[in-house]
PDB file of all heavy atoms in Angstrom:
ATOM      1  N   ALA A 442     -14.616  12.312   0.056  1.00  0.00           N
ATOM      2  CA  ALA A 442     -13.952  12.461   1.389  1.00  0.00           C
ATOM      3  C   ALA A 442     -12.420  12.114   1.174  1.00  0.00           C
ATOM      4  O   ALA A 442     -11.502  12.862   1.773  1.00  0.00           O
ATOM      5  CB  ALA A 442     -14.376  11.399   2.404  1.00  0.00           C
ATOM      6  N   TRP A 443     -12.024  11.260   0.313  1.00  0.00           N
ATOM      7  CA  TRP A 443     -10.680  10.820   0.046  1.00  0.00           C
ATOM      8  C   TRP A 443      -9.940  11.937  -0.673  1.00  0.00           C
ATOM      9  O   TRP A 443      -8.931  12.292  -0.265  1.00  0.00           O
ATOM     10  CB  TRP A 443     -10.537   9.598  -0.717  1.00  0.00           C
ATOM     11  CG  TRP A 443      -9.119   9.128  -0.912  1.00  0.00           C
ATOM     12  CD1 TRP A 443      -8.424   9.378  -2.108  1.00  0.00           C
ATOM     13  CD2 TRP A 443      -8.300   8.444   0.060  1.00  0.00           C
ATOM     14  NE1 TRP A 443      -7.083   8.940  -1.895  1.00  0.00           N
ATOM     15  CE2 TRP A 443      -6.974   8.413  -0.672  1.00  0.00           C
ATOM     16  CE3 TRP A 443      -8.534   8.135   1.426  1.00  0.00           C
ATOM     17  CZ2 TRP A 443      -5.898   7.736   0.023  1.00  0.00           C
ATOM     18  CZ3 TRP A 443      -7.369   7.558   1.926  1.00  0.00           C
ATOM     19  CH2 TRP A 443      -6.096   7.462   1.317  1.00  0.00           C
ATOM     20  N   CYS A 444     -10.594  12.672  -1.712  1.00  0.00           N
ATOM     21  CA  CYS A 444     -10.065  13.686  -2.283  1.00  0.00           C
ATOM     22  C   CYS A 444      -9.810  14.916  -1.425  1.00  0.00           C
ATOM     23  O   CYS A 444      -8.764  15.548  -1.562  1.00  0.00           O
ATOM     24  CB  CYS A 444     -10.879  14.097  -3.511  1.00  0.00           C
ATOM     25  SG  CYS A 444     -11.028  12.934  -4.829  1.00  0.00           S
ATOM     26  N   ALA A 445     -10.552  15.183  -0.601  1.00  0.00           N
ATOM     27  CA  ALA A 445     -10.491  16.281   0.381  1.00  0.00           C
ATOM     28  C   ALA A 445      -9.265  15.891   1.383  1.00  0.00           C
ATOM     29  O   ALA A 445      -8.534  16.741   1.703  1.00  0.00           O
ATOM     30  CB  ALA A 445     -11.729  16.541   1.137  1.00  0.00           C
ATOM     31  N   PHE A 446      -9.228  14.663   1.730  1.00  0.00           N
ATOM     32  CA  PHE A 446      -8.200  14.128   2.653  1.00  0.00           C
ATOM     33  C   PHE A 446      -6.840  14.358   2.045  1.00  0.00           C
ATOM     34  O   PHE A 446      -5.902  14.619   2.762  1.00  0.00           O
ATOM     35  CB  PHE A 446      -8.500  12.683   2.896  1.00  0.00           C
ATOM     36  CG  PHE A 446      -7.406  11.967   3.671  1.00  0.00           C
ATOM     37  CD1 PHE A 446      -7.128  12.282   4.929  1.00  0.00           C
ATOM     38  CD2 PHE A 446      -6.540  10.961   3.115  1.00  0.00           C
ATOM     39  CE1 PHE A 446      -6.091  11.650   5.741  1.00  0.00           C
ATOM     40  CE2 PHE A 446      -5.538  10.303   3.702  1.00  0.00           C
ATOM     41  CZ  PHE A 446      -5.360  10.601   5.086  1.00  0.00           C
ATOM     42  N   LYS A 447      -6.716  14.236   0.662  1.00  0.00           N
ATOM     43  CA  LYS A 447      -5.511  14.457  -0.101  1.00  0.00           C
ATOM     44  C   LYS A 447      -5.327  15.870  -0.438  1.00  0.00           C
ATOM     45  O   LYS A 447      -4.515  16.077  -1.346  1.00  0.00           O
ATOM     46  CB  LYS A 447      -5.542  13.455  -1.263  1.00  0.00           C
ATOM     47  CG  LYS A 447      -5.314  11.995  -0.842  1.00  0.00           C
ATOM     48  CD  LYS A 447      -3.982  11.865  -0.145  1.00  0.00           C
ATOM     49  CE  LYS A 447      -3.728  10.551   0.340  1.00  0.00           C
ATOM     50  NZ  LYS A 447      -2.507  10.362   1.057  1.00  0.00           N
ATOM     51  N   GLY A 448      -5.977  16.751   0.049  1.00  0.00           N
ATOM     52  CA  GLY A 448      -5.658  18.155  -0.185  1.00  0.00           C
ATOM     53  C   GLY A 448      -6.419  18.936  -1.149  1.00  0.00           C
ATOM     54  O   GLY A 448      -6.241  20.203  -1.351  1.00  0.00           O
ATOM     55  N   LEU A 449      -7.435  18.360  -1.808  1.00  0.00           N
ATOM     56  CA  LEU A 449      -8.129  19.044  -2.867  1.00  0.00           C
ATOM     57  C   LEU A 449      -9.423  19.688  -2.257  1.00  0.00           C
ATOM     58  O   LEU A 449      -9.946  19.144  -1.263  1.00  0.00           O
ATOM     59  CB  LEU A 449      -8.647  18.052  -3.943  1.00  0.00           C
ATOM     60  CG  LEU A 449      -7.468  17.670  -4.979  1.00  0.00           C
ATOM     61  CD1 LEU A 449      -6.638  16.643  -4.488  1.00  0.00           C
ATOM     62  CD2 LEU A 449      -8.150  17.252  -6.260  1.00  0.00           C
ATOM     63  N   THR A 450      -9.840  20.756  -2.861  1.00  0.00           N
ATOM     64  CA  THR A 450     -11.121  21.344  -2.504  1.00  0.00           C
ATOM     65  C   THR A 450     -12.255  20.427  -3.271  1.00  0.00           C
ATOM     66  O   THR A 450     -12.163  20.186  -4.557  1.00  0.00           O
ATOM     67  CB  THR A 450     -11.295  22.791  -2.940  1.00  0.00           C
ATOM     68  OG1 THR A 450     -10.401  23.517  -2.335  1.00  0.00           O
ATOM     69  CG2 THR A 450     -12.716  23.350  -2.773  1.00  0.00           C
ATOM     70  N   VAL A 451     -13.315  20.150  -2.501  1.00  0.00           N
ATOM     71  CA  VAL A 451     -14.224  19.078  -2.991  1.00  0.00           C
ATOM     72  C   VAL A 451     -15.595  19.675  -2.755  1.00  0.00           C
ATOM     73  O   VAL A 451     -15.985  20.083  -1.639  1.00  0.00           O
ATOM     74  CB  VAL A 451     -14.109  17.726  -2.479  1.00  0.00           C
ATOM     75  CG1 VAL A 451     -15.113  16.788  -3.118  1.00  0.00           C
ATOM     76  CG2 VAL A 451     -12.673  17.185  -2.649  1.00  0.00           C
ATOM     77  N   THR A 452     -16.479  19.660  -3.766  1.00  0.00           N
ATOM     78  CA  THR A 452     -17.938  19.975  -3.552  1.00  0.00           C
ATOM     79  C   THR A 452     -18.690  18.822  -3.878  1.00  0.00           C
ATOM     80  O   THR A 452     -18.445  18.004  -4.847  1.00  0.00           O
ATOM     81  CB  THR A 452     -18.405  21.084  -4.565  1.00  0.00           C
ATOM     82  OG1 THR A 452     -17.803  20.977  -5.806  1.00  0.00           O
ATOM     83  CG2 THR A 452     -17.988  22.472  -3.946  1.00  0.00           C
ATOM     84  N   LEU A 453     -19.640  18.456  -2.931  1.00  0.00           N
ATOM     85  CA  LEU A 453     -20.322  17.150  -2.982  1.00  0.00           C
ATOM     86  C   LEU A 453     -21.786  17.381  -3.203  1.00  0.00           C
ATOM     87  O   LEU A 453     -22.425  18.097  -2.418  1.00  0.00           O
ATOM     88  CB  LEU A 453     -20.145  16.294  -1.753  1.00  0.00           C
ATOM     89  CG  LEU A 453     -20.888  14.936  -1.631  1.00  0.00           C
ATOM     90  CD1 LEU A 453     -20.476  14.004  -2.726  1.00  0.00           C
ATOM     91  CD2 LEU A 453     -20.537  14.373  -0.262  1.00  0.00           C
ATOM     92  N   GLN A 454     -22.326  16.953  -4.294  1.00  0.00           N
ATOM     93  CA  GLN A 454     -23.720  17.191  -4.637  1.00  0.00           C
ATOM     94  C   GLN A 454     -24.599  15.967  -4.572  1.00  0.00           C
ATOM     95  O   GLN A 454     -24.341  14.801  -4.953  1.00  0.00           O
ATOM     96  CB  GLN A 454     -23.811  17.736  -6.123  1.00  0.00           C
ATOM     97  CG  GLN A 454     -25.145  18.042  -6.685  1.00  0.00           C
ATOM     98  CD  GLN A 454     -24.999  18.572  -8.226  1.00  0.00           C
ATOM     99  OE1 GLN A 454     -24.007  18.732  -8.673  1.00  0.00           O
ATOM    100  NE2 GLN A 454     -26.227  18.642  -8.734  1.00  0.00           N
ATOM    101  N   ASP A 455     -25.909  16.170  -4.084  1.00  0.00           N
ATOM    102  CA  ASP A 455     -26.839  15.250  -4.239  1.00  0.00           C
ATOM    103  C   ASP A 455     -28.202  16.006  -4.126  1.00  0.00           C
ATOM    104  O   ASP A 455     -28.228  17.245  -4.059  1.00  0.00           O
ATOM    105  CB  ASP A 455     -26.814  14.177  -3.017  1.00  0.00           C
ATOM    106  CG  ASP A 455     -27.345  12.798  -3.449  1.00  0.00           C
ATOM    107  OD1 ASP A 455     -28.423  12.704  -4.141  1.00  0.00           O
ATOM    108  OD2 ASP A 455     -26.595  11.843  -3.351  1.00  0.00           O
ATOM    109  N   GLN A 456     -29.320  15.173  -4.015  1.00  0.00           N
ATOM    110  CA  GLN A 456     -30.634  16.006  -4.141  1.00  0.00           C
ATOM    111  C   GLN A 456     -30.921  16.847  -3.038  1.00  0.00           C
ATOM    112  O   GLN A 456     -31.614  17.884  -3.194  1.00  0.00           O
ATOM    113  CB  GLN A 456     -31.821  14.887  -4.307  1.00  0.00           C
ATOM    114  CG  GLN A 456     -31.637  14.113  -5.594  1.00  0.00           C
ATOM    115  CD  GLN A 456     -32.601  12.947  -5.650  1.00  0.00           C
ATOM    116  OE1 GLN A 456     -33.261  12.693  -4.762  1.00  0.00           O
ATOM    117  NE2 GLN A 456     -32.678  12.244  -6.876  1.00  0.00           N
ATOM    118  N   ASP A 457     -30.454  16.515  -1.816  1.00  0.00           N
ATOM    119  CA  ASP A 457     -30.692  17.401  -0.704  1.00  0.00           C
ATOM    120  C   ASP A 457     -29.688  17.091   0.385  1.00  0.00           C
ATOM    121  O   ASP A 457     -28.946  16.085   0.306  1.00  0.00           O
ATOM    122  CB  ASP A 457     -32.099  17.272  -0.098  1.00  0.00           C
ATOM    123  CG  ASP A 457     -32.519  15.855   0.111  1.00  0.00           C
ATOM    124  OD1 ASP A 457     -31.711  15.146   0.964  1.00  0.00           O
ATOM    125  OD2 ASP A 457     -33.598  15.332  -0.466  1.00  0.00           O
ATOM    126  N   MET A 458     -29.704  17.911   1.436  1.00  0.00           N
ATOM    127  CA  MET A 458     -28.689  17.748   2.375  1.00  0.00           C
ATOM    128  C   MET A 458     -28.916  16.478   3.313  1.00  0.00           C
ATOM    129  O   MET A 458     -27.878  15.946   3.795  1.00  0.00           O
ATOM    130  CB  MET A 458     -28.706  18.956   3.486  1.00  0.00           C
ATOM    131  CG  MET A 458     -27.914  20.168   3.056  1.00  0.00           C
ATOM    132  SD  MET A 458     -26.151  19.837   2.816  1.00  0.00           S
ATOM    133  CE  MET A 458     -25.686  19.145   4.369  1.00  0.00           C
ATOM    134  N   SER A 459     -30.047  15.957   3.385  1.00  0.00           N
ATOM    135  CA  SER A 459     -30.318  14.684   4.107  1.00  0.00           C
ATOM    136  C   SER A 459     -29.432  13.580   3.442  1.00  0.00           C
ATOM    137  O   SER A 459     -29.188  12.572   4.142  1.00  0.00           O
ATOM    138  CB  SER A 459     -31.726  14.421   4.212  1.00  0.00           C
ATOM    139  OG  SER A 459     -32.339  14.133   2.856  1.00  0.00           O
ATOM    140  N   ARG A 460     -29.358  13.626   2.115  1.00  0.00           N
ATOM    141  CA  ARG A 460     -28.552  12.537   1.467  1.00  0.00           C
ATOM    142  C   ARG A 460     -27.013  12.772   1.522  1.00  0.00           C
ATOM    143  O   ARG A 460     -26.273  11.779   1.521  1.00  0.00           O
ATOM    144  CB  ARG A 460     -28.889  12.450  -0.091  1.00  0.00           C
ATOM    145  CG  ARG A 460     -30.354  12.033  -0.322  1.00  0.00           C
ATOM    146  CD  ARG A 460     -30.727  12.199  -1.680  1.00  0.00           C
ATOM    147  NE  ARG A 460     -32.170  11.767  -1.975  1.00  0.00           N
ATOM    148  CZ  ARG A 460     -32.554  10.451  -2.428  1.00  0.00           C
ATOM    149  NH1 ARG A 460     -31.475   9.523  -2.614  1.00  0.00           N
ATOM    150  NH2 ARG A 460     -33.800  10.280  -2.609  1.00  0.00           N
ATOM    151  N   ILE A 461     -26.604  14.083   1.759  1.00  0.00           N
ATOM    152  CA  ILE A 461     -25.265  14.359   1.863  1.00  0.00           C
ATOM    153  C   ILE A 461     -24.630  14.137   3.274  1.00  0.00           C
ATOM    154  O   ILE A 461     -23.616  13.813   3.546  1.00  0.00           O
ATOM    155  CB  ILE A 461     -24.913  15.774   1.373  1.00  0.00           C
ATOM    156  CG1 ILE A 461     -25.280  15.978  -0.077  1.00  0.00           C
ATOM    157  CG2 ILE A 461     -23.536  16.228   1.638  1.00  0.00           C
ATOM    158  CD1 ILE A 461     -25.193  17.359  -0.577  1.00  0.00           C
ATOM    159  N   ALA A 462     -25.566  14.295   4.291  1.00  0.00           N
ATOM    160  CA  ALA A 462     -25.128  14.293   5.699  1.00  0.00           C
ATOM    161  C   ALA A 462     -24.412  12.963   6.022  1.00  0.00           C
ATOM    162  O   ALA A 462     -23.368  13.037   6.751  1.00  0.00           O
ATOM    163  CB  ALA A 462     -26.315  14.507   6.496  1.00  0.00           C
ATOM    164  N   PRO A 463     -24.953  11.802   5.747  1.00  0.00           N
ATOM    165  CA  PRO A 463     -24.107  10.524   6.055  1.00  0.00           C
ATOM    166  C   PRO A 463     -22.692  10.523   5.564  1.00  0.00           C
ATOM    167  O   PRO A 463     -21.864  10.071   6.152  1.00  0.00           O
ATOM    168  CB  PRO A 463     -24.992   9.540   5.501  1.00  0.00           C
ATOM    169  CG  PRO A 463     -26.357  10.056   5.342  1.00  0.00           C
ATOM    170  CD  PRO A 463     -26.194  11.451   5.057  1.00  0.00           C
ATOM    171  N   ALA A 464     -22.573  11.062   4.336  1.00  0.00           N
ATOM    172  CA  ALA A 464     -21.236  11.060   3.762  1.00  0.00           C
ATOM    173  C   ALA A 464     -20.262  11.973   4.528  1.00  0.00           C
ATOM    174  O   ALA A 464     -19.089  11.685   4.767  1.00  0.00           O
ATOM    175  CB  ALA A 464     -21.302  11.547   2.298  1.00  0.00           C
ATOM    176  N   ILE A 465     -20.833  13.138   4.995  1.00  0.00           N
ATOM    177  CA  ILE A 465     -20.047  14.114   5.811  1.00  0.00           C
ATOM    178  C   ILE A 465     -19.662  13.416   7.054  1.00  0.00           C
ATOM    179  O   ILE A 465     -18.506  13.583   7.644  1.00  0.00           O
ATOM    180  CB  ILE A 465     -20.889  15.430   6.061  1.00  0.00           C
ATOM    181  CG1 ILE A 465     -21.139  16.029   4.657  1.00  0.00           C
ATOM    182  CG2 ILE A 465     -20.083  16.342   6.898  1.00  0.00           C
ATOM    183  CD1 ILE A 465     -19.980  16.508   3.885  1.00  0.00           C
ATOM    184  N   GLN A 466     -20.616  12.638   7.678  1.00  0.00           N
ATOM    185  CA  GLN A 466     -20.314  12.014   8.900  1.00  0.00           C
ATOM    186  C   GLN A 466     -19.093  10.974   8.831  1.00  0.00           C
ATOM    187  O   GLN A 466     -18.285  10.820   9.607  1.00  0.00           O
ATOM    188  CB  GLN A 466     -21.536  11.375   9.492  1.00  0.00           C
ATOM    189  CG  GLN A 466     -22.586  12.344   9.974  1.00  0.00           C
ATOM    190  CD  GLN A 466     -23.876  11.707  10.388  1.00  0.00           C
ATOM    191  OE1 GLN A 466     -24.099  10.569  10.064  1.00  0.00           O
ATOM    192  NE2 GLN A 466     -24.721  12.482  11.227  1.00  0.00           N
ATOM    193  N   ARG A 467     -19.331  10.131   7.704  1.00  0.00           N
ATOM    194  CA  ARG A 467     -18.245   9.163   7.414  1.00  0.00           C
ATOM    195  C   ARG A 467     -16.899   9.869   7.223  1.00  0.00           C
ATOM    196  O   ARG A 467     -15.836   9.411   7.639  1.00  0.00           O
ATOM    197  CB  ARG A 467     -18.476   8.394   6.223  1.00  0.00           C
ATOM    198  CG  ARG A 467     -19.656   7.394   6.423  1.00  0.00           C
ATOM    199  CD  ARG A 467     -19.733   6.216   5.349  1.00  0.00           C
ATOM    200  NE  ARG A 467     -19.731   6.782   4.042  1.00  0.00           N
ATOM    201  CZ  ARG A 467     -20.789   7.283   3.326  1.00  0.00           C
ATOM    202  NH1 ARG A 467     -22.012   7.275   3.887  1.00  0.00           N
ATOM    203  NH2 ARG A 467     -20.612   7.723   2.123  1.00  0.00           N
ATOM    204  N   ALA A 468     -16.865  10.939   6.566  1.00  0.00           N
ATOM    205  CA  ALA A 468     -15.608  11.665   6.259  1.00  0.00           C
ATOM    206  C   ALA A 468     -14.974  12.204   7.623  1.00  0.00           C
ATOM    207  O   ALA A 468     -13.786  12.084   7.772  1.00  0.00           O
ATOM    208  CB  ALA A 468     -15.854  12.870   5.356  1.00  0.00           C
ATOM    209  N   ALA A 469     -15.822  12.695   8.512  1.00  0.00           N
ATOM    210  CA  ALA A 469     -15.301  13.197   9.788  1.00  0.00           C
ATOM    211  C   ALA A 469     -14.736  12.019  10.615  1.00  0.00           C
ATOM    212  O   ALA A 469     -13.589  12.158  11.175  1.00  0.00           O
ATOM    213  CB  ALA A 469     -16.397  13.695  10.678  1.00  0.00           C
ATOM    214  N   THR A 470     -15.245  10.767  10.514  1.00  0.00           N
ATOM    215  CA  THR A 470     -14.777   9.607  11.148  1.00  0.00           C
ATOM    216  C   THR A 470     -13.355   9.264  10.513  1.00  0.00           C
ATOM    217  O   THR A 470     -12.331   8.980  11.145  1.00  0.00           O
ATOM    218  CB  THR A 470     -15.619   8.390  11.133  1.00  0.00           C
ATOM    219  OG1 THR A 470     -16.878   8.803  11.650  1.00  0.00           O
ATOM    220  CG2 THR A 470     -15.081   7.118  11.749  1.00  0.00           C
TER     221      THR A 470
END
Side-chain angles (χ1 to χ4, degrees):
W443 182 261
C444 291
F446 174 66
K447 286 299 173 181
L449 284 78
T450 299
V451 183
T452 41
L453 178 58
Q454 180 181 350
D455 212 312
Q456 294 174 353
D457 52 55
M458 275 303 301
S459 66
R460 293 174 180 265
I461 298 175
I465 300 297
Q466 291 174 339
R467 290 197 308 276
T470 302

